[in-house]
Amino acid sequence: MAKVANDTVVAETIAEARALAQRGRFWAALLGLGFVIGLTGPFGTYDTLPTVLRAAYWTVVVTTTFWLGYLVSFAVATCAEAYGINAPISLGIGAAVASVPLTAWLAGLHMAFFATPFWANAGELLPYVIVISFAAATSFEAVSSREVVPVPRATSTSGPAWLDQLPAHLGKDLILLHAQDHYVRAETALGQTLIRTTLHDAATDLGDYGIRLHRSWWVARGAIQAQRYRNGAPVVVLQDGRELPVGRTYRRALKDALR
């Protein structure tokens, strides 16, 4: 699995979860949703639990199921994207896999609170959990999406020594690198060439001159015009209008680099 900036699936998942947990509005919405559901008392809980206990029960259910589903689905979707499966398929795989531990968790809660048989209840819950997981993953990704966000143009700096590998007729105005087997395709404003190296090594040598976007793509900071979402997946818009995909494991590094 490709890595960048010492990121792993676990590290990226934790970083995203930490960033989400620091949002006050998110917690207000999550706890408020649990409280409102508790007042309505779905699935027979209105008659079986008193109001205070019912509100507490559903607040716990909503909070714990969200975090369990979020962490599992994000990690699985990140793994899927690392192997070349892009959104929205990777998102669907993450939601499907997350449905299993979510169902087990809910069936366990029901068994503890209402003495229902674990396996029978799990079988009844699974179809509903799958549908809700897909809907929640899609909605959360849509809320996270943004319209075109302009990126301030990078100030010109002296280029790194790696640029000396470029043929003289192509100049040193590097735009992007694209991994191709044991080579990278280097593109400048004047043309393209193949250089025998790995994208990881090239990105390391180029340092802050550019940003790794994907296991196959690197782009110079000065070539970035904006960030946006297309079909639920983040992309970087270049100055010439082209769009490059952003891998899930590279999103946090990209946000931090362009902040």
Side-chain angles (χ1 to χ4, degrees):
M1 184 184 302
K3 297 180 181 179
V4 65
N6 296 321
D7 280 335
T8 64
V9 172
V10 174
E12 180 66 12
T13 302
I14 292 174
E16 286 293 328
R18 183 182 293 114
L20 183 61
Q22 293 173 349
R23 301 176 186 173
R25 291 183 179 179
F26 158 76
W27 281 107
L30 189 64
L31 296 176
L33 178 63
F35 182 76
V36 170
I37 293 177
L39 292 180
T40 59
F43 301 108
T45 55
Y46 190 87
D47 297 322
T48 56
L49 294 175
T51 303
V52 175
L53 183 58
R54 188 173 66 246
Y57 170 79
W58 279 107
T59 300
V60 171
V61 168
V62 169
T63 304
T64 56
T65 52
F66 171 84
W67 280 111
L68 178 60
Y70 177 80
L71 293 172
V72 173
S73 61
F74 188 93
V76 172
T78 299
C79 285
E81 286 196 3
Y83 285 100
I85 304 174
N86 293 324
I89 297 177
S90 62
L91 192 66
I93 294 174
V97 173
S99 299
V100 177
L102 281 174
T103 300
W105 169 244
L106 291 173
L109 282 178
H110 288 184
M111 183 175 65
F113 274 83
F114 310 114
T116 56
F118 178 86
W119 291 109
N121 191 232
E124 294 176 358
L125 287 172
L126 184 58
Y128 297 100
V129 174
I130 291 175
V131 173
I132 294 173
S133 294
F134 274 93
T138 302
S139 300
F140 190 80
E141 193 79 3
V143 170
S144 300
S145 301
R146 298 288 187 272
E147 293 300 319
V148 175
V149 178
V151 175
R153 189 67 184 271
T155 56
S156 59
T157 58
S158 58
W162 190 93
L163 298 177
D164 294 336
Q165 300 181 63
L166 297 172
H169 68 278
L170 294 182
K172 295 185 179 181
D173 188 11
L174 184 62
I175 296 175
L176 60 83
L177 298 175
H178 185 201
Q180 296 184 346
D181 295 327
H182 300 295
Y183 294 82
V184 294
R185 176 173 59 83
E187 179 179 327
T188 74
L190 301 177
Q192 305 176 7
T193 188
L194 288 177
I195 297 177
R196 187 173 179 81
T197 185
T198 66
L199 190 60
H200 172 77
D201 289 344
T204 300
D205 292 341
L206 286 162
D208 292 337
Y209 190 78
I211 303 168
R212 183 83 175 267
L213 302 178
H214 188 272
R215 66 194 185 101
S216 299
W217 294 96
W218 174 98
V219 66
R221 288 174 181 264
I224 300 175
Q225 181 184 65
Q227 295 174 262
R228 66 176 302 166
Y229 278 72
R230 181 173 294 280
N231 298 326
V235 295
V236 159
V237 184
L238 303 187
Q239 297 291 344
D240 59 13
R242 285 181 294 172
E243 296 178 349
L244 298 181
V246 180
R248 189 174 292 268
T249 54
Y250 301 88
R251 295 182 187 180
R252 176 59 51 189
L254 176 66
K255 292 177 182 177
D256 292 342
L258 296 180
R259 184 170 297 156

